[in-house]
Amino acid sequence: MKLVALIASERKNGNSEISAKYIAKKLNAELKILRLTKYKIEPCKACYACLFGKECEIEDDVYSILDEIEKGDAILISSPVYFLDATSKFKALLDRGFLALQRLDSFSKKNCVILTFHGFKEAKGWASATHLILARTFCFNVLANIEIRAALPGEAFTDENLKKLDLAVEVLKTGKKFVAKNQCPICLNTAFRIENGRIVCALCNSEFDRDMNLIKEGKWFIDLNWIREHFFKELVELKNEFKRKKDELKKLIEKYI
């Protein structure tokens, strides 16, 4: 097995990296670490050229990152919480997620585990949800979304945390999905909102009662066919609609500014 680890931390041998090395060793897997902080990832221009089958005009390293991901058999997202969310380099790659759309058939065959490291229990934020969004956008088969309290380099190897790392090893070995307590059982998300007295998953829109019993299953950002329908049909049509209404919208803008 070749394990590709996406790490968006500058810390060499920090918890994100040593955990990836531990898991690869346990799996007897070849490990390829993609340290995103070392790659040039420019902001998306929202031109939609890639949706029309064109090459991205931005000259940076995103295609190289996607090439490395494609070579892997399994994916490990292992990265920390910065100010309640994922790091800026991770979010920069997520914003360029359209470029992965041409590779979804390949990416959807790759099992994935997410490890999110936080220093304070009361400030773990929603980084694991952001990590999950990238995994879902890239259509990885997400088996586990694991949050780990480990601030100081090396704390990933405390007895409690080793159990979580061994869990990551086990699900990658077996391919069996693991749902943690208070996670969405449909998509493994950890971020929710309240609508009309119901708990709604902010990622897949599944609805639950206050005891987290499923009321209605959602499908947003989970199903490969949904992504193809939304990005390759709905967004392409939105771009075409803008072309049709461009002059009208320009006049509207001029009216107010």
Side-chain angles (χ1 to χ4, degrees), residues 81 83-85 118 120-129 147 190:
V81 174
F83 287 94
L84 303 181
D85 203 352
H118 60 275
F120 304 98
K121 184 178 180 180
E122 66 275 13
K124 63 182 179 180
W126 50 88
S128 67
E147 295 177 306
T190 56

Side-chain angles (χ1 to χ4, degrees), residues 39-44 56-64 96 99:
Y39 286 90
K40 182 181 180 183
I41 306 174
E42 295 293 328
C44 178
C56 184
E57 296 180 359
I58 301 172
E59 295 184 4
D60 62 4
D61 297 327
V62 174
Y63 278 124
S64 296
R96 299 289 297 286
L99 295 187

